[in-house]
């Protein structure tokens, strides 16, 4: 008897202390090892739900038709209700608003249209109470031409003379021309003649956004001080704007800038796509600059303690370059270089293989030990519903909430807000205004920036102004927070359920990931973690009914799975059990399924589990023996 007890006891000990002993070889189904799966602490940002607020359009508290800081503070509980961890705010700083705040005149002052510094401090207090972190937009590439630094630079004030990129231009046949053929992202030459200084200055965006000169150490120090200023105000980090543009090539030894080569596919000489931006984008120095900003954050943290402050980098660049922003063997970079692949690689006609390829592209390129992130939308991109299909909003929210790492939602995507058509007359985005009435729609970002839809009242509950800065969407009576709160399977409620689940589930937070297209129509994401439930997210991207046998692709799944999240397209309900061998998905349906018992999934998750399973049986035998001996 004692002998048996001893064996059982040893088996239990083995199981508790050496769980991996049961896995003589790594689980070859595991494409991607989860974060902290061995029980290490996760940092707050590693599994966070980020939410982007576009302050002009979130909530107007003073009736001027433009959103403001008090509006955000008032509605912050809504973010809590959604399950949001942190919100990043598009710029709130003093600005003439030539690019709606991305043209900053004073980097450490609040724009009066958004409120005062006291309002900002109040917002920080509310956020702290609700435990929602605030991330600010850091716009390093340029300032406004109304910034004091630019004025002084134009006047050749010695302290600021080289703060911007100035050049006398090229003289040809006695005529002065811009220094190079470079084109602005918002059309036309990137060089603007300045009468006062009698030189051209560079502006990669509109001419009211002169580029700062990062080859000047004083500029670098000044901008690091901007970071320190807001860190002292208690922010949890920064989204860094337009990162790939920050450096351009240095002039050659004749002090000349080289022309960029042409792109054959674009015949419009004013259009940004006309040139290949080999001298104005993705210059190698940019990576180190981001590392230096990270060092500023880390130094602040060492000095002041507290939770991680983070950088999220806006990097529309080739994937190999984006990955370098994470850091390297010796330096840390942005914790989250934005993953825009769901925006840039998918369209309305993408099939499940394209979805699989897009998700895997990020995971396969990501350096070991880094955290993934999934950006579905932002204020520069058509809305998810307009880009990938109104009827795919839930499935995309489901995908990003159940993939590993952080997700980034743009305000209104949780409601299924879609692009709003804006007439040429009402168009205000400089990217569109710099074009003409026949092509402006291709360039305008106004359609995704319209006011947030809170209720079915006047101005969709966003404001009580007679006119809002952009028109309100026509669908606001059907698509708004108030109404969607009441419908159990509204986009809003599906979103909430997803993030509740994500918060409760260790598997979703730190488990391993397998991504597979089961057919052209169906994408599956499996998340699993030892000794915990396995989850399966299924998206039917197409319009047909799909019947699938999950065991063909995931042989270690149990015969039945429990439904944990559904959409209004689903025929099954939360709590239903479905058969793994014949599961039906409705058109554009998506589901999250869970193994019914964590023990079951653990015990049957492949032959490698043999020893721990044996341990459990021996332990049960021991309990049986003990009871029979009493
Ligand atoms: C970024 C911003 C965009 C802005 C541009 C210039 O891409 O997201 O809105 O116009 O930078 O600052």
């Amino acid at each position: 008897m004692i002998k048996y007890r001893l064996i059982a006891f040893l088996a239990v000990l083995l199981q508790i202390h050496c769980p991996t002993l049961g896995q003589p070889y790594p689980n070859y189904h595991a494409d991607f090892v989860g974060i902290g799966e061995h029980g290490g602490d996760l940092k707050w940002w590693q599994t966070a739900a980020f939410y982007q607020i576009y302050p002009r359009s979130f909530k107007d508290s003073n009736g001027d038709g433009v959103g403001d800081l008090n509006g955000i503070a008032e509605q912050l509980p809504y973010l809590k209700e959604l399950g949001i961890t942190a919100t990043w705010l598009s710029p709130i700083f003093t600005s003439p608003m030539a690019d709606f705040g991305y043209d900053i005149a004073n980097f450490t002052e609040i724009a009066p249209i958004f409120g005062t510094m006291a309002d900002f401090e109040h917002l920080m207090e509310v956020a702290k109470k609700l435990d929602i972190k605030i991330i600010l937009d850091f716009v390093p590439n340029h300032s406004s031409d109304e910034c004091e630094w630019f004025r002084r630079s134009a006047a050749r004030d010695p302290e600021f003379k080289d703060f911007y990129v100035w050049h006398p231009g090229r003289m040809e046949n006695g005529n002065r021309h811009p220094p190079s053929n470079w084109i602005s992202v918002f059309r036309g030459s990137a060089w603007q003649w300045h009468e006062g200084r009698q030189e051209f200055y560079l502006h990669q965006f509109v001419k009211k956004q002169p580029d700062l000169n990062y080859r000047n150490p004083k500029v670098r120090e000044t901008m690091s001080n901007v970071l320190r200023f807001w860190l002292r105000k208690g922010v949890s980090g920064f989204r860094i704007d337009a990162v790939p543009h920050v450096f351009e090539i240095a002039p050659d030894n004749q002090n000349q800038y080289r022309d960029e080569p042409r792109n054959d596919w674009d015949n419009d000489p004013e259009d940004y796509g006309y040139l290949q931006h080999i001298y104005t984008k993705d210059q190698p120095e940019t990576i180190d600059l981001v590392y230096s900003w990270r060092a500023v954050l880390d130094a602040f943290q060492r000095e002041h303690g507290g939770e991680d402050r983070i950088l999220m980098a806006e990097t529309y660049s080739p994937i190999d370059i984006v990955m370098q922003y994470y850091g390297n063997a010796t330096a840390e970079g942005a914790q989250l270089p934005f993953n825009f692949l769901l925006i840039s690689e998918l369209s309305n006609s993408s099939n499940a293989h394209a979805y699989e390829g897009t998700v895997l592209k990020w995971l396969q390129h990501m350096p070991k030990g880094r955290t993934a992130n999934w950006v579905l939308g932002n204020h520069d991109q058509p809305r998810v519903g307009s880009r990938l299909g109104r009827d795919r909003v839930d499935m995309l929210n489901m995908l990003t909430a159940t993939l590993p790492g952080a997700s980034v939602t743009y305000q209104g995507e949780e409601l299924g807000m879609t692009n709003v058509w804006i007439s040429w007359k009402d168009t205000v985005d400089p990217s569109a205004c710099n074009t003409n009435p026949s092509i402006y729609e291709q360039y305008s970002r106004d359609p995704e920036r319209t006011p947030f839809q809170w209720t079915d009242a006047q101005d969709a509950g966003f404001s009580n102004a007679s006119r809002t800065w952009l028109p309100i969407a026509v669908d606001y009576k059907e698509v708004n927070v108030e109404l969607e709160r009441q419908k159990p399977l509204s986009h809003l409620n599906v979103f909430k359920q997803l993030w509740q689940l994500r918060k409760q589930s260790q598997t979703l937070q730190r488990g391993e990931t397998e991504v597979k297209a089961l057919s052209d129509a169906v994408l599956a994401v499996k998340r699993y973690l030892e000794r915990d439930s396995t989850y399966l997210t299924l998206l039917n991207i197409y319009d047909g009914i799909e019947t699938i046998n999950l065991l063909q692709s995931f042989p270690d799944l149990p015969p039945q799975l429990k439904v944990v999240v559904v959409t209004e397209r689903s025929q099954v309900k939360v709590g239903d059990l479905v058969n793994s061998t014949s599961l039906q998905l409705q058109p554009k349906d998506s589901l999250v399924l869970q193994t019914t018992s964590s023990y079951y999934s653990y015990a049957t998750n492949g032959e490698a589990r043999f020893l721990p399973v044996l341990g459990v049986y021996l332990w049960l035998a021991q309990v049986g023996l003990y009871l029979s001996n009493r």
Side-chain angles (χ1 to χ4, degrees):
M1 179 73 66
I2 287 179
K3 201 166 81 188
Y4 287 126
R5 282 193 187 179
L6 195 67
I7 292 169
F9 180 68
L10 283 176
V12 172
L13 267 190
L14 262 178
Q15 190 201 351
I16 291 170
H17 294 289
C18 313
T20 46
L21 262 184
Q23 286 185 289
Y25 47 83
N27 182 350
Y28 47 80
H29 297 303
D31 288 314
F32 303 103
V33 174
I35 26 178
E37 76 274 33
H38 299 303
D41 276 350
L42 290 177
K43 310 277 195 188
W44 69 265
W45 48 270
Q46 289 189 286
T47 58
F50 288 93
Y51 186 91
Q52 179 192 353
I53 288 183
Y54 191 67
R56 291 185 76 82
S57 289
F58 193 58
K59 175 76 188 174
D60 172 17
S61 73
N62 62 359
D64 63 0
V66 175
D68 45 49
L69 293 178
N70 285 337
I72 298 175
E74 187 189 302
Q75 291 297 352
L76 223 46
Y78 169 68
L79 266 57
K80 196 74 201 164
E81 176 187 334
L82 292 179
I84 298 301
T85 323
T87 174
W88 79 264
L89 312 180
S90 280
I92 51 172
F93 319 107
T94 310
S95 160
M97 302 286 166
D99 188 17
F100 296 106
Y102 283 96
D103 49 320
I104 301 174
N106 188 322
F107 286 77
T108 52
E109 236 179 50
I110 301 291
I113 195 134
F114 294 131
T116 61
M117 192 57 89
D119 296 336
F120 177 76
E121 283 158 4
H122 170 66
L123 171 66
M124 292 301 296
E125 274 166 33
V126 177
K128 201 167 175 193
K129 276 199 199 114
L130 292 170
D131 192 23
I132 290 179
K133 296 186 162 56
I134 302 286
I135 311 273
L136 292 185
D137 210 331
F138 175 54
V139 185
N141 181 65
H142 43 263
S143 73
S144 160
D145 63 343
E146 296 182 32
C147 179
E148 176 69 11
W149 310 337
F150 186 74
R151 287 213 191 98
R152 292 173 71 175
S153 191
R156 295 182 193 265
D157 175 332
E159 213 186 316
F160 292 92
K161 192 170 144 285
D162 297 324
F163 247 56
Y164 295 83
V165 183
W166 294 100
H167 196 277
R170 270 185 202 162
M171 292 307 286
E172 277 163 30
N173 307 325
N175 293 324
R176 198 187 295 275
H177 295 277
S180 65
N181 69 345
W182 298 350
I183 294 177
S184 144
V185 175
F186 294 150
R187 281 184 87 73
S189 173
W191 294 101
Q192 175 67 28
W193 178 251
H194 192 281
E195 279 302 328
R197 175 147 161 164
Q198 290 288 298
E199 278 191 313
F200 290 94
Y201 65 84
L202 178 72
H203 59 92
Q204 295 214 41
F205 294 89
V206 292
K207 63 179 184 221
K208 283 186 71 64
Q209 291 169 302
D211 270 47
L212 285 157
N213 172 18
Y214 277 87
R215 299 194 183 275
N216 179 351
K218 275 195 210 152
V219 169
R220 295 203 294 270
E221 188 49 24
T222 305
M223 293 309 278
S224 294
N225 283 336
V226 170
L227 296 176
R228 293 182 184 108
F229 177 89
W230 292 108
L231 287 169
R232 285 195 294 271
K233 293 269 175 204
V235 304
S236 296
F238 303 89
R239 172 262 188 189
I240 320 174
D241 180 72
V243 174
H245 299 270
V246 170
F247 271 97
E248 40 293 318
I249 197 171
D252 62 19
N253 50 17
Q254 315 278 304
N255 193 33
Q256 295 302 312
Y257 285 108
R258 273 180 246 167
D259 281 349
E260 289 186 327
R262 264 208 61 185
N263 269 325
D264 293 338
W265 49 266
D266 193 327
N267 291 320
D268 177 355
E270 299 280 288
D271 189 57
Y272 189 61
Y274 191 72
L275 299 178
Q276 296 169 36
H277 302 288
I278 56 173
Y279 301 135
T280 52
K281 254 194 94 190
D282 297 325
Q283 301 302 300
E285 295 90 334
T286 317
I287 310 275
D288 283 329
L289 184 65
V290 171
Y291 295 174
S292 78
W293 290 327
R294 171 65 185 271
V296 170
L297 267 59
D298 288 351
F300 186 89
Q301 199 159 330
R302 278 195 300 277
E303 214 177 300
H304 296 85
E307 288 184 282
D308 279 5
R309 276 75 168 181
I310 64 154
L311 292 177
M312 310 166 92
E314 188 203 24
T315 48
Y316 290 97
S317 299
I319 188 105
D320 294 330
I321 296 181
V322 175
M323 291 298 153
Q324 295 176 41
Y325 285 105
Y326 270 122
N328 59 26
T330 52
E332 290 295 309
Q335 286 90 337
L336 303 171
F338 277 148
N339 170 3
F340 292 130
L341 296 180
L342 297 176
I343 295 175
S344 58
E345 308 239 322
L346 295 181
S347 73
N348 215 349
S349 55
S350 302
N351 65 17
H353 295 282
Y355 275 68
E356 180 202 82
T358 303
V359 171
L360 292 184
K361 184 169 174 181
W362 187 272
L363 294 176
Q364 285 167 344
H365 279 88
M366 196 170 67
K368 202 163 179 285
R370 302 290 176 184
T371 299
N373 73 91
W374 312 94
V375 183
L376 261 187
N378 61 43
H379 65 296
D380 295 328
Q381 302 296 338
R383 284 201 174 270
V384 177
S386 304
R387 213 171 58 232
L388 299 175
R390 251 174 207 272
D391 40 11
R392 294 199 183 102
V393 167
D394 292 325
M395 69 171 75
L396 285 153
N397 285 334
M398 208 173 260
L399 181 66
T400 53
T402 55
L403 280 172
S407 82
V408 190
T409 302
Y410 174 52
Q411 66 179 42
E413 302 292 19
E414 76 282 14
L415 301 175
M417 277 178 68
T418 44
N419 275 15
V420 178
W421 182 79
I422 310 281
S423 69
W424 170 249
K425 188 170 81 30
D426 283 339
T427 293
V428 290
D429 177 14
S431 168
C433 293
N434 279 353
T435 68
N436 61 59
S438 44
I439 58 167
Y440 80 99
E441 285 176 63
Q442 292 166 44
Y443 296 87
S444 183
R445 298 167 298 174
D446 291 335
E448 61 263 21
R449 296 179 177 181
T450 60
F452 192 81
Q453 292 157 215
W454 293 101
T455 68
D456 65 2
Q458 185 202 342
D459 295 341
F462 159 72
S463 169
N464 52 22
S466 53
R467 191 182 157 86
T468 52
W469 81 282
L470 276 175
I472 307 280
V474 281
D475 66 2
Y476 76 95
K477 294 215 183 228
E478 296 85 54
V479 181
N480 64 62
V481 174
E482 196 177 56
L483 189 83
E484 293 199 25
R485 271 188 185 132
Q486 291 155 29
K487 286 199 204 160
L489 289 180
S490 64
H491 299 305
L492 177 67
N493 279 325
V494 170
F495 187 95
K496 280 196 229 169
Q497 285 169 40
L498 285 166
W499 282 96
Q500 262 165 24
L501 176 68
R502 163 78 167 237
K503 284 217 172 107
Q504 291 155 9
S505 163
Q506 286 297 309
T507 305
L508 292 180
Q509 288 180 36
R510 57 173 81 222
E512 297 174 26
T513 308
E514 212 176 323
V515 184
K516 271 186 192 167
L518 307 185
S519 64
D520 277 357
V522 179
L523 180 78
V525 177
K526 181 182 162 196
R527 303 292 315 277
Y528 50 111
L529 183 69
E530 267 186 33
R531 290 179 228 210
D532 212 322
S533 298
T534 295
Y535 287 86
L536 209 71
T537 302
L538 295 171
L539 316 184
N540 178 8
I541 291 161
Y542 282 179
D543 277 323
I545 295 182
E546 296 288 326
T547 306
I548 47 175
N549 178 354
L550 287 171
L551 294 191
Q552 263 168 11
S553 307
F554 305 103
D556 49 7
L557 284 178
Q560 287 201 313
L561 294 161
K562 191 169 81 182
V563 177
V564 283
V565 185
V566 299
T567 76
E568 62 171 13
R569 310 195 143 251
S570 317
Q571 274 191 355
V572 289
K573 297 184 303 301
V574 169
D576 283 356
L577 288 180
V578 292
N579 287 332
S580 307
T581 47
S582 62
L583 175 67
Q584 213 179 54
L585 291 170
Q586 299 306 305
K588 304 271 173 60
D589 191 4
S590 52
L591 302 172
V592 183
L593 308 173
Q594 182 192 6
T595 48
T596 44
S597 100
S598 59
Y599 171 71
Y600 189 89
S601 73
Y602 171 59
T604 57
N605 194 9
E607 57 289 356
R609 300 275 191 261
F610 177 69
L611 194 56
V613 173
L614 184 70
V616 173
Y617 284 125
L618 287 170
W619 182 79
L620 286 173
Q622 189 202 18
V623 173
L625 281 169
Y626 171 76
L627 291 176
S628 62
N629 277 344
R630 281 177 74 197

